[in-house]
């Protein structure tokens, strides 16, 4: 096993742990809320830089069904559903990255059209620990882009959940991330 103690060249990237992606939300991910305590333990670690992405769409976003997209309206900027899960210790986050904010472009990855890569590089980050929602969309895209940015990527398998539009999508996404050189670990194995 690689050394997964989180140090100063590591960053935590919490993906889209928002009300609309949790049970009761507009695009609920089954058990999405169950990762909150695991994410909070990670946010309490002293050393890694902590970033959190949020899906932050304008009304009438291209990904919404009325516009021909796949999804019900979700995470509309400045609405309650776009807030972080109320149980998430969001005050420990160093950097919030909003994405998907352009009406005509979807952005599953936290790196897509954002300053995330530049912020991480300017802080000397070489490895990211990725957790959040959803395994088969924004976690997958963020992890794969992290590799493309030249980062080591550790996906925390106990602190992610999948939409699974088709059964097995989450598992296939994990295989794809592994194929791209991501490591798979459990958040509970990261020491304090
Ligand atoms: C996501 C579907 C649509 C995600 C975002 O955060 O995984 N999924 N928009
Ligand atoms: Zn979205």
């Amino acid at each position: 096993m690689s050394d997964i103690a989180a140090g100063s060249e590591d960053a935590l990237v919490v993906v889209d742990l928002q009300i609309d992606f949790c049970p009761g939300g507009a695009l609920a991910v089954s058990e999405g809320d169950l990762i909150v305590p695991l994410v909070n333990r990670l946010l309490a670690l002293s050393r890694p830089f902590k970033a959190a992405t949020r899906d932050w769409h304008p009304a009438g976003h291209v990904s919404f069904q009325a516009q021909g997209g796949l999804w019900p309206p979700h995470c509309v900027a400045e609405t309650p559903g776009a807030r972080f899960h109320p149980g998430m210790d969001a005050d420990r986050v160093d950097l919030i990255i909003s994405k998907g904010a352009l009406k005509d472009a979807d952005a599953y990855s936290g790196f897509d059209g954002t300053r995330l890569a530049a912020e991480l590089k300017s802080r000397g980050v070489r490895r990211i620990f990725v957790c959040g929602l959803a395994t088969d969309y924004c976690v997958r895209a963020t992890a794969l882009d992290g590799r493309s940015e030249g980062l080591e990527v550790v996906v925390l398998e106990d602190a992610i959940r999948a939409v699974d539009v088709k059964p097995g999508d989450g598992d296939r996404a994990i295989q794809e991330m592994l194929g791209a050189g991501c490591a798979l670990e459990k958040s509970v194995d990261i020491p304090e």
Side-chain angles (χ1 to χ4, degrees):
M1 192 176 80
S2 56
D3 179 7
I4 56 168
S8 59
E9 296 186 343
D10 296 319
L12 177 68
V13 180
V14 181
V15 176
D16 297 6
L17 187 42
Q18 292 165 272
I19 288 176
D20 270 345
F21 293 127
C22 289
L27 208 176
V29 177
S30 174
E31 301 187 345
D33 54 334
L34 295 190
I35 71 172
V36 170
L38 302 177
V39 169
N40 283 345
R41 194 187 74 87
L42 297 166
L43 286 170
L45 295 172
S46 59
R47 271 170 306 207
F49 179 71
K50 291 145 200 128
T53 69
R54 60 183 183 184
D55 218 27
W56 200 248
H57 298 314
H61 186 251
V62 64
S63 76
F64 298 172
Q65 281 151 354
Q67 279 68 44
L70 281 180
W71 310 111
H74 63 278
C75 298
V76 174
E78 310 293 355
T79 65
R83 291 187 193 140
F84 291 122
H85 185 285
M88 172 182 159
D89 290 336
D91 51 336
R92 305 215 173 181
V93 171
D94 299 307
L95 175 68
I96 294 174
I97 293 287
S98 302
K99 63 182 175 61
L102 298 179
K103 196 165 186 173
D104 295 316
D106 211 354
Y108 288 134
S109 162
F111 291 99
D112 189 351
T114 74
R115 59 198 174 93
L116 180 58
E119 294 283 352
L120 296 177
K121 281 171 190 175
S122 76
R123 289 174 172 84
V125 170
R126 300 189 47 218
R127 179 171 68 168
I128 58 173
F129 295 92
V130 180
C131 58
L133 304 173
T135 308
D136 33 0
Y137 291 92
C138 292
V139 168
R140 168 189 174 279
T142 301
L144 294 178
D145 273 359
R147 293 293 299 143
S148 299
E149 291 290 346
L151 297 163
E152 283 183 56
V153 176
V154 180
V155 178
L156 300 174
E157 57 181 331
D158 55 340
I160 57 178
R161 288 294 186 280
V163 182
D164 279 334
V165 171
K166 268 201 318 196
D169 280 353
D171 294 336
R172 281 186 287 275
I174 287 174
Q175 291 311 313
E176 209 179 335
M177 292 187 276
L178 289 171
C182 300
L184 198 59
E185 299 285 356
K186 290 188 170 59
S187 77
V188 294
D189 291 331
I190 298 177
E192 296 287 340

